[in-house]
Amino acid sequence: ATALNPLSRKIKKLASMEDKICSKETGAALECLSGFFSENTMQTRRNLRAEIDRQALRLSESFVESFAPVESLLSSLDVQMRELEETCQDAQEELRRSRASTAAVLEQARGLRDQRTDLQGKQRLLNMFLESLRLREEELELIRDGERPIDGPFFDAMTRLETVRKNARVLMAGSREQTAAIDVLHETSALLEGAYERLFMWVQRESRVRFRQDGLGLEGSARERERGRGGRSVPLGEEEGDRSASARRADREGKDRDATLRRALWQLRERPLYFNHCVRDIAAVRKQVVVERFFEALS
């Protein structure tokens, strides 16, 4: 009975596993195991486990061989990924260097813009400074060119020249840097004296011509017209009606020249030597004209 106990236990165990043994899974497993040996002998049953291991090994080797191309592809992909990572790192490093250099360039550009703004402001101040200390080309031509007429623009240029010299004197008095002011005064001194000399000669010539033509001076034209009418006073409307267009134009030109002569004499007051000489010449010419008219009246 004792010897039969292990067997009875196995029988009972198999009886308890009846449901599992009769299941589809168990049948499929037994059918799979039947392919491992051709005959059911003691030797084949003993070698069943070893055969199963060998079959598993063969399957594993076949699986590994099947995945060799995949492994090769994965290795190649890994190499490419490492290269791509290195390229990305290089690009990132280059980007950092570019940002650093770009930041320096941008900072330099901002500095240059600030310098340009500062220089533009200084340029405007310099232009204003130079404008106050020098004449324009057309003003220089009006003063230097002896062929130009003595008229309003000439006097304006002389006034501008006096203003430039005044600004130079102010600069010389209020600044430690006196070289520029001295240079301006030196350059304009001869120019101003030449202008006064030209004005002096023009006054002498013009006064002789005007007094000879009109008789007694700057108001001589009106008196000459009255004397030409026998001393008869003519109303302004009748006088305008009698004169031709050319006579009226000549009268206007005479008045303009009289005004210019008066302004020239007023300007020459800045040079007493020229002014006194012109006054003496005008008085002498006027006296000579009076004497000539007196003798003409007696004859």
Side-chain angles (χ1 to χ4, degrees):
T2 306
L4 294 175
N5 286 334
L7 181 61
S8 60
R9 285 197 300 271
K10 290 183 178 180
I11 293 172
K12 290 180 180 180
K13 185 176 181 181
L14 289 174
S16 62
M17 296 176 60
E18 182 179 2
D19 294 336
K20 295 182 179 180
I21 293 174
C22 295
S23 64
K24 293 181 179 181
E25 290 81 1
T26 303
L30 291 175
E31 184 178 0
C32 181
L33 287 174
S34 65
F36 285 95
F37 51 88
S38 59
E39 56 182 357
N40 189 6
T41 63
M42 182 65 69
Q43 186 66 28
T44 57
R45 288 196 297 271
R46 289 177 179 176
N47 294 334
L48 177 61
R49 181 176 296 278
E51 185 66 23
I52 291 174
D53 292 339
R54 285 193 294 271
Q55 185 68 19
L57 180 60
R58 284 194 297 270
L59 291 174
S60 298
E61 290 176 350
S62 176
F63 180 81
V64 171
E65 290 176 358
S66 299
F67 272 87
V70 177
E71 183 184 9
S72 177
L73 291 175
L74 290 175
S75 299
S76 176
L77 181 61
D78 183 63
V79 172
Q80 293 178 1
M81 290 297 294
R82 284 196 297 269
E83 292 177 353
L84 181 60
E85 183 180 4
E86 292 176 357
T87 303
C88 291
Q89 290 177 354
D90 294 339
Q92 188 175 6
E93 184 65 25
E94 185 66 25
L95 181 60
R96 281 196 295 268
R97 289 196 296 269
S98 298
R99 286 178 178 175
S101 61
T102 303
V105 171
L106 291 176
E107 184 64 25
Q108 185 178 6
R110 283 193 292 270
L112 291 175
R113 279 198 302 270
D114 294 340
Q115 291 181 9
R116 184 183 65 180
T117 303
D118 185 49
L119 289 175
Q120 287 176 348
K122 291 180 179 180
Q123 182 66 39
R124 288 192 294 269
L125 292 176
L126 180 61
N127 291 336
M128 294 173 61
F129 174 77
L130 294 177
E131 182 68 20
S132 65
L133 290 177
R134 68 180 181 184
L135 294 176
R136 294 185 291 271
E137 289 297 328
E138 56 270 20
E139 293 172 338
L140 290 173
E141 287 295 326
L142 285 171
I143 293 176
R144 289 174 175 170
D145 191 358
E147 300 298 326
R148 295 290 186 92
I150 302 295
D151 51 8
F154 174 82
F155 290 112
D156 294 339
M158 284 195 67
T159 303
R160 171 71 178 150
L161 181 58
E162 291 284 4
T163 302
V164 168
R165 291 178 59 81
K166 180 180 178 181
N167 293 336
R169 286 191 290 268
V170 171
L171 178 64
M172 186 171 59
S175 175
R176 295 181 180 178
E177 298 294 334
Q178 299 181 354
T179 304
I182 294 175
D183 291 341
V184 170
L185 291 175
H186 177 73
E187 292 175 0
T188 57
S189 177
L191 187 63
L192 184 63
E193 291 303 321
Y196 274 113
E197 182 177 358
R198 181 184 169 195
L199 189 61
F200 165 69
M201 296 175 63
W202 181 85
V203 168
Q204 282 189 314
R205 183 174 61 254
E206 187 67 17
S207 62
R208 291 190 181 96
V209 173
R210 293 294 294 160
F211 291 152
R212 292 287 183 182
Q213 289 177 351
D214 297 338
L216 298 177
L218 302 181
E219 293 83 11
S221 58
R223 297 180 183 177
E224 182 66 19
R225 288 192 298 270
E226 288 191 8
R227 188 176 61 186
R229 297 184 178 89
R232 179 174 58 87
S233 177
V234 180
L236 182 59
E238 182 181 347
E239 180 182 1
E240 291 292 336
D242 293 341
R243 288 186 300 176
S244 62
S246 60
R248 288 196 300 271
R249 184 168 57 254
D251 185 52
R252 284 195 301 270
E253 292 177 355
K255 290 180 180 179
D256 292 340
R257 295 181 70 178
D258 289 343
T260 303
L261 185 58
R262 292 191 187 94
R263 187 172 181 181
L265 287 171
W266 180 264
Q267 189 75 33
L268 285 175
R269 291 168 64 91
E270 298 294 329
R271 294 294 184 271
L273 180 62
Y274 290 156
F275 177 75
N276 293 332
H277 194 77
C278 287
V279 169
R280 286 195 298 269
D281 285 349
I282 291 173
V285 173
R286 186 183 180 93
K287 180 179 179 181
Q288 183 178 359
V289 171
V290 170
V291 171
E292 291 176 355
R293 293 297 176 85
F294 178 73
F295 283 112
E296 289 177 2
L298 292 179
S299 61

